[in-house]
Amino acid sequence: MTDRAPGFSTLAIHAGAAPDAATGARATPIYQTTSFVFDDVDHAASLFGLQAFGNIYTRIGNPTNAVLEERVAALEGGTAALAVASGHAAEFLCFHALLQPGDEFVAARKLYGGSINQFNHSYKSFGWNVIWADPDDVEGFAAAVTPKTKAIFIESIANPGGVIVDIAAISAIAKKHNIPLIVDNTMASPYLLRPFEHGADIVVHSATKFLGGHGNSIGGLIVDGGSFNWVGDDRYPMLSKPRPEYNGMVLGETFGNFAFAIATRVLGLRDLGPALSPFNAFMLLTGIETLPLRMQRHCESTQKVAEHLQKHPAVEWVSYPGLAGDKYEALAKRYTPKGAGAVFTFGLKGGYDAGVKLVSNLKLFSHLANIGDTRSLVIHPASTTHRQLTDEQKIASGAGPQVVRLSIGLEDVEDLIADLDQALA
Ligand SMILES: *Cc1c(COP(=O)(O)O)cnc(C)c1O
């Protein structure tokens, strides 16, 4: 090794991994075991008391998952990460570490439909109250903060596609009120955008999408930016108060700039249980090795498809920040100079019925509720992912009746354009 700091592609392949100490295996082995033998009674006691790092039981940690955690932390530029069973589990464990019953958090109104449901309904039963703000109106975030606000949550490139959020401006509001900014970086991936460089404190991922990249494994990650000081802050008792679970240890003091990653593991994951299977960690690691190459191709092809649709007579508008004159063009140049991602929306002149017809006529695009696959995907949000929302909420979240969302895959772009042309005809 040289002294040079490794580049992104090198980290995507090597970060966190080394030849297996026991066997020399070069690829990361799948440690498909529930539990790990202790050296002796003292070793067991120090592991359980958090005095030593090591493996106990796969619900709390696993060596295959640890490689994934270290790799994503390195790619995002964070201090540590936690791998969990899904993107939703990552969001849940984040809020669990931050909120008490009766607390509030401010969230951007344009989010993955599942996050909107989770925040509006399931979180209510924990007494966690979401206050919605418009991601295009930075001042609206400031106005939504109250003394009960414990966090701000946004997506970097926001669902259902084509929205770039001014992370630095929203981070300034979070910093002013001394609350952490959580950024869901699923749609961008760290290859296109690294939220910590713009003031985020915590990053979450649905690794199910671009990180894994092949549409074969559900998983999620929480990445600790190490920037938030929890010590002495009574608003965050999980991190700042003595924990009865660990003989009065104060996690924020003991673990410093990676205390949030530890708290989500030793309190959230341990007690609530959404653990990632080591097999899925292996699949996600394999996907991440080609993340830079895939994202480049995703963005190139998306630009071409978006430009083609913009000229199509059946299409009323295309919302992709890579297009000249797009509302988010300037923010995209600043935040995603390598490309504005692979997911975007367009509006059909024929409205709801035309949307339903288009998804039925496409042959190469798969009609399903996912993004970030090697395969190209299509969905009509108003009749599927966003159907639980009221018409008003649908429009507010960018999923009105005429809107179709595409996730452009890695096929030959000429084939994708031909498929769209035949289906629109
Ligand atoms: C899919 C997705 C989620 C939820 O992730 P799962 O892995 O499906 O639980 C959260 N945020 C965004 C932006 C997503 O695309």
Side-chain angles (χ1 to χ4, degrees):
M1 286 294 276
T2 63
D3 287 342
R4 216 187 106 78
F8 190 93
S9 296
T10 304
L11 291 173
I13 295 166
H14 291 284
D20 185 52
T23 63
R26 191 62 190 87
T28 298
I30 305 171
Y31 288 95
Q32 193 70 24
T33 180
T34 56
S35 9
F36 302 84
V37 176
F38 306 120
D39 298 344
D40 53 40
V41 174
D42 288 343
H43 177 228
S46 65
L47 288 175
F48 278 98
L50 301 182
Q51 276 97 26
F53 289 107
N55 298 302
I56 300 176
Y57 187 63
T58 285
R59 169 153 46 71
I60 309 166
N62 174 282
T64 311
N65 299 19
V67 177
L68 175 65
E69 287 158 350
E70 214 176 304
R71 186 160 307 167
V72 175
L75 293 178
E76 286 287 5
T79 53
L82 178 70
V84 293
S86 67
H88 268 0
E91 294 168 79
F92 178 44
L93 293 194
C94 257
F95 287 111
H96 172 257
L98 298 173
L99 304 186
Q100 303 297 304
D103 282 348
E104 294 173 1
F105 64 101
V106 179
R109 207 173 261 127
K110 288 205 169 102
L111 294 181
Y112 176 68
S115 299
I116 296 177
N117 285 333
Q118 193 187 31
F119 296 174
N120 269 337
H121 305 295
S122 295
Y123 282 13
K124 286 271 164 10
S125 56
F126 304 113
W128 303 343
N129 300 310
V130 62
I131 312 292
W132 296 106
D134 177 352
D136 294 336
D137 171 19
V138 171
E139 284 317 305
F141 281 82
V145 173
T146 76
K148 289 185 190 158
T149 308
K150 297 292 168 65
I152 297 180
F153 185 95
I154 59 175
E155 289 179 4
S156 49
I157 300 181
N159 262 286
V163 176
I164 309 279
V165 178
D166 191 347
I167 302 173
I170 296 172
S171 157
I173 293 164
K175 286 197 168 43
K176 184 167 157 229
H177 294 277
N178 199 24
I179 49 179
L181 173 64
I182 308 168
V183 177
D184 181 336
N185 199 31
T186 299
M187 295 256 272
S189 89
Y191 178 74
L192 296 180
L193 192 158
R194 306 204 318 156
F196 294 138
E197 293 171 357
H198 306 286
D201 298 293
I202 297 160
V203 164
V204 293
H205 273 283
S206 169
T208 313
K209 317 293 169 53
F210 292 97
L211 284 180
H214 293 71
N216 57 26
S217 308
I218 303 270
L221 283 121
I222 299 167
V223 191
D224 189 345
S227 48
F228 199 87
N229 181 21
W230 315 99
V231 177
D233 193 333
D234 290 348
R235 299 172 304 163
Y236 302 102
M238 293 272 208
L239 289 128
S240 65
K241 292 273 174 73
R243 295 309 307 181
E245 300 93 328
Y246 293 105
N247 286 324
M249 182 183 276
V250 178
L251 297 180
E253 285 172 11
T254 306
F255 297 104
N257 71 356
F258 58 101
F260 189 77
I262 295 283
T264 52
R265 182 191 303 280
V266 304
L267 301 174
L269 187 57
R270 188 197 70 161
D271 291 354
L272 303 173
L276 180 70
S277 146
F279 180 80
N280 277 21
F282 172 83
M283 297 301 280
L284 297 171
L285 276 167
T286 304
I288 289 171
E289 292 181 8
T290 56
L291 177 69
L293 290 170
R294 286 187 290 103
M295 291 315 290
Q296 280 163 23
R297 172 65 86 84
H298 276 302
C299 290
E300 266 170 43
S301 296
T302 306
Q303 184 71 29
K304 287 183 187 153
V305 173
E307 284 172 6
H308 180 79
L309 285 174
Q310 204 175 27
K311 289 180 287 191
H312 198 285
V315 173
E316 189 167 312
W317 52 263
V318 178
S319 168
Y320 184 62
L323 293 174
D326 187 84
K327 183 178 171 191
Y328 298 100
E329 190 185 7
L331 283 171
K333 287 216 160 81
R334 175 164 161 214
Y335 284 103
T336 57
K338 285 188 276 195
V343 181
F344 72 97
T345 54
F346 62 100
L348 287 165
K349 287 184 183 154
Y352 188 94
D353 294 340
V356 171
K357 213 159 166 197
L358 174 70
V359 295
S360 340
N361 287 345
L362 283 164
K363 296 194 173 84
L364 194 50
F365 281 79
S366 305
H367 178 210
L368 52 74
N370 192 25
I371 55 169
D373 196 330
T374 54
R375 285 151 280 261
S376 288
L377 315 174
V378 61
I379 202 154
H380 179 228
S383 60
T384 54
T385 49
H386 288 61
R387 86 176 288 136
Q388 296 95 327
L389 306 183
T390 63
D391 284 350
E392 210 172 46
Q393 285 173 325
K394 278 184 193 131
I395 292 166
S397 62
Q402 63 163 189
V403 178
V404 173
R405 184 187 76 187
L406 300 181
S407 174
I408 300 300
L410 305 178
E411 303 94 336
D412 289 293
V413 70
E414 295 78 10
D415 293 337
L416 299 176
I417 288 175
D419 192 31
L420 284 162
D421 281 349
Q422 68 76 24
L424 286 166

